[in-house]
């Protein structure tokens, strides 16, 4: 046996071992594809056996800049040699710059830094309720927030309580009151749901987990107008749709809409660490006073160092442009998929949901895995395509050709 062959055998054994360990000792709250990733670069990842895969999931958009982007790694490494955590009991020398950069990107005044997306959503909900009591004059305890059918905003008990996905909520009640759900994309239903006690409308401008569901043209503008007219905050969860994915900085930009708050996460951490934030103007964010909200890790200097670099990369506009250009390539390729196998597809920028006929999305994703392409199914028969924005055009074309072959097989 050559050294190389032995290496491979050992590593293949290591993959099986890693999967067995996870199955025995990690909670079964996920059902991963049977691949053990050990290395990544750009849009490519390698398994423990050295086999290469093109990553069409990009960590659900957390990896918009790909794996190990040199600028982001350099920012993190430099900061690792200086200071990583202070808590907010003290100032650190990067939070100010991070706040300046993020608010400038959003065209707003103030930021509240958190870590995960769900924490940022929770922060926005607390902010909206407090704003409702202090500024709108809603009676204490009566605040209502309107959410959308098919939403995904994270996994906390409050958030799953207003989900309509049975697997997200069943068995986890009792739930937090104060939420009303209306169909996504339906302006009339939204208008009817808003009353004097409504403080906010929370929505994803494009629903990611829902299967890349794009609302009808003009919907976001109508939501904005309604929120302004009825004195209700428009909270845009751009955790997955924002930061370049759709070909604009924010999905709201496609309709020229500015919400009252952006909720950001995923790509804000550059695929290196969890970084999230709520961004709003002073008249809204100003409701928080010392002691009323916080996070041990939120705004830590390592997170800020990476987040600052992420925003500086986005401010050049090159990633948004790339998502737009490659998005056209993606659209053309998807439109040419075998018609009998595809019920529908939706796409904006470098982001698509494809509804498969006659097979589960899981089955197609397992087939793609064997072809060296990583993708993730959602809601049974939908495949989501969200490659890193740094993907090469030829690699993208190859991957969609592999998908076409898989669907024909
Ligand atoms: C992923 C996601 C979240 C939750 O983010 P976590 O970091 O997993 O808590 C919230 N909203 C949207 C739209 C998301 O895609």
């Amino acid at each position: 046996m050559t050294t190389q062959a032995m290496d491979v055998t050992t590593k293949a054994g290591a993959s099986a071992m890693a999967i067995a360990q996870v199955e025995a000792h990690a909670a079964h709250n996920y059902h991963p594809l049977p691949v053990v990733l050990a290395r990544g670069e750009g849009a490519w990842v390698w398994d423990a056996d050295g086999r290469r895969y093109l990553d069409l999931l990009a960590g659900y958009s957390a990896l918009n800049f790909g794996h190990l982007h040199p600028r982001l790694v350099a920012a993190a490494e430099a900061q690792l040699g200086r200071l990583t955590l202070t808590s907010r009991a003290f100032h650190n020398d990067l939070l100010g710059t991070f706040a300046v950069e993020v608010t400038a990107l959003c065209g707003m005044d103030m930021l509240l830094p958190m870590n995960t997306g769900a924490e940022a959503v929770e922060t926005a909900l607390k902010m909206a309720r407090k704003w409702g009591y202090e500024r709108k004059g809603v009676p204490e305890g009566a605040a209502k927030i309107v959410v959308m059918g098919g939403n995904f905003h994270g996994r906390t008990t409050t958030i799953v309580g207003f989900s309509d996905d049975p697997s997200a909520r069943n068995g986890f009640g009792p739930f937090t009151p104060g939420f009303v759900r209306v169909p996504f994309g339906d302006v009339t239903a939204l208008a009817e749901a808003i009353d004097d006690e409504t403080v906010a409308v929370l929505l994803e401008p494009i629903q990611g987990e829902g299967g890349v569901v794009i609302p009808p043209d003009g919907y976001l503008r109508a939501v904005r107008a309604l929120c302004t007219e009825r004195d209700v905050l428009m909270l845009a969860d751009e955790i997955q749709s924002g930061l370049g994915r759709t070909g604009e900085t924010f999905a709201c930009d496609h309709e020229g809409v500015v919400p009252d708050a952006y909720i950001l996460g995923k790509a804000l951490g550059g695929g290196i660490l969890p970084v999230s934030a709520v961004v709003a103007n002073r008249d809204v964010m100003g409701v928080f006073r010392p002691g009323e909200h916080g996070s041990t890790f939120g705004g830590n200097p390592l997170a800020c160092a990476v987040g600052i670099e992420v925003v500086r990369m986005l401010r050049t506009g090159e990633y948004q442009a790339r998502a737009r250009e490659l998005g056209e390539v993606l659209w053309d390729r998807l439109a040419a998929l075998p018609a009998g196998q595809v019920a529908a597809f939706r796409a904006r920028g470098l982001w698509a949901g494809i509804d498969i006929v006659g097979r589960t999305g899981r089955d197609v994703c397992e087939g793609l895995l064997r072809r060296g392409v990583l993708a993730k199914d959602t809601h049974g028969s939908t495949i989501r395509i969200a490659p890193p924005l740094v993907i090469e055009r030829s690699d993208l074309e190859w991957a969609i050709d592999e998908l076409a072959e898989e669907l024909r097989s």
Side-chain angles (χ1 to χ4, degrees):
M1 200 187 262
T2 66
T3 322
Q4 207 190 343
M6 213 168 77
D7 246 25
V8 168
T9 322
T10 321
K11 282 185 179 162
S15 281
M17 168 83 88
I19 291 175
Q21 285 172 327
V22 166
E23 293 199 337
H25 299 292
H28 292 184
N29 57 328
Y30 280 92
H31 180 34
L33 289 168
V35 60
V36 179
L37 302 176
R39 189 164 76 80
E41 189 184 333
W44 292 93
V45 286
W46 286 261
D47 69 12
D49 311 329
R51 201 171 162 225
R52 191 169 87 136
Y53 304 83
L54 191 61
D55 182 358
L56 295 194
L57 179 63
Y60 303 92
S61 284
L63 289 154
N64 277 2
F65 307 97
H67 297 268
L68 301 186
H69 191 290
R71 271 183 75 171
L72 298 173
V73 170
E77 281 179 344
Q79 193 57 34
L80 276 171
R82 293 178 56 222
L83 183 69
T84 55
L85 186 67
T86 56
S87 86
R88 294 292 304 279
F90 316 109
H91 287 279
N92 73 62
D93 64 348
L94 290 182
L95 179 56
T97 308
F98 179 58
V100 165
E101 290 283 348
V102 174
T103 53
L105 185 77
C106 297
M108 289 182 175
D109 295 338
M110 299 181 99
L111 144 162
L112 198 158
M114 298 294 282
N115 312 285
T116 66
E119 289 175 320
V121 171
E122 291 276 357
T123 301
L125 298 174
K126 286 173 74 174
M127 178 183 77
R129 285 178 167 181
K130 202 135 197 296
W131 173 87
Y133 299 133
E134 292 188 356
R135 307 285 158 92
K136 185 170 173 171
V138 172
E140 180 69 31
K144 257 186 242 163
I145 295 176
V146 185
V147 300
M148 299 296 150
N151 71 70
F152 181 85
H153 298 286
R155 299 295 196 168
T156 64
T157 47
T158 289
I159 292 171
V160 300
F162 58 75
S163 165
D164 56 7
D165 177 353
S167 65
R169 57 180 279 132
N170 287 0
F172 300 118
F175 299 121
T176 314
F179 297 94
V180 183
R181 203 169 48 236
V182 299
F184 184 51
D186 183 339
V187 186
T188 312
L190 177 61
E192 281 167 8
I194 294 176
D195 63 22
D196 291 346
E197 295 173 344
T198 306
V199 297
V201 174
L202 170 67
L203 83 174
E204 301 154 85
I206 294 177
Q207 293 184 331
E209 298 305 303
V212 191
V213 180
I214 303 172
D217 274 348
Y219 176 69
L220 297 176
R221 269 197 304 276
V223 173
R224 172 68 278 177
L226 208 51
C227 286
T228 304
E229 184 192 312
R230 309 291 294 275
D231 197 21
V232 162
L233 299 179
M234 179 179 181
L235 308 174
D237 180 348
E238 293 256 16
I239 289 171
Q240 193 166 156
S241 58
L243 308 185
R245 172 57 57 195
T246 66
E248 298 285 350
T249 303
F250 301 110
C252 283
D253 295 344
H254 289 279
E255 293 202 15
V257 160
V258 179
D260 295 296
Y262 290 108
I263 306 171
L264 305 178
K266 293 204 164 106
L268 192 58
I272 296 179
L273 75 176
V275 184
S276 69
V278 177
V279 189
N281 280 328
R282 189 176 312 274
D283 55 339
V284 177
M285 191 65 89
V287 299
F288 283 121
R289 282 177 288 271
E292 293 178 346
H293 192 55
S295 158
T296 304
F297 290 93
N300 72 76
L302 183 59
C304 290
V306 173
I308 289 166
E309 206 60 23
V310 163
V311 174
R312 289 184 177 157
M313 287 163 68
L314 283 169
R315 289 185 75 184
T316 68
E318 72 182 270
Y319 293 92
Q320 296 88 326
R322 206 173 160 80
R324 272 198 300 279
E325 286 153 23
L326 291 175
E328 285 174 24
V329 174
L330 176 62
W331 183 284
D332 290 344
R333 280 290 212 269
L334 293 179
L337 284 176
Q341 266 77 52
V342 175
F345 76 89
R346 301 162 293 280
R348 180 146 303 163
L350 206 42
W351 204 20
I354 307 160
D355 302 334
I356 304 297
V357 187
R359 284 171 77 179
T360 64
R362 173 80 184 189
D363 186 46
V364 174
C365 289
E366 285 176 358
L368 285 173
L369 175 67
R370 288 188 288 273
R371 295 168 181 274
V373 176
L374 298 185
K376 173 74 175 75
D377 54 299
T378 180
H379 291 278
S381 61
T382 301
I383 297 171
R384 173 182 19 197
I385 307 284
L389 309 182
V390 297
I391 192 173
E392 292 297 334
R393 177 186 174 138
S394 54
D395 292 338
L396 176 66
E397 290 172 339
W398 168 78
I400 306 302
D401 289 348
E402 289 297 318
L403 171 61
E405 281 302 307
E406 179 58 35
L407 291 177
R408 273 187 211 104
S409 72

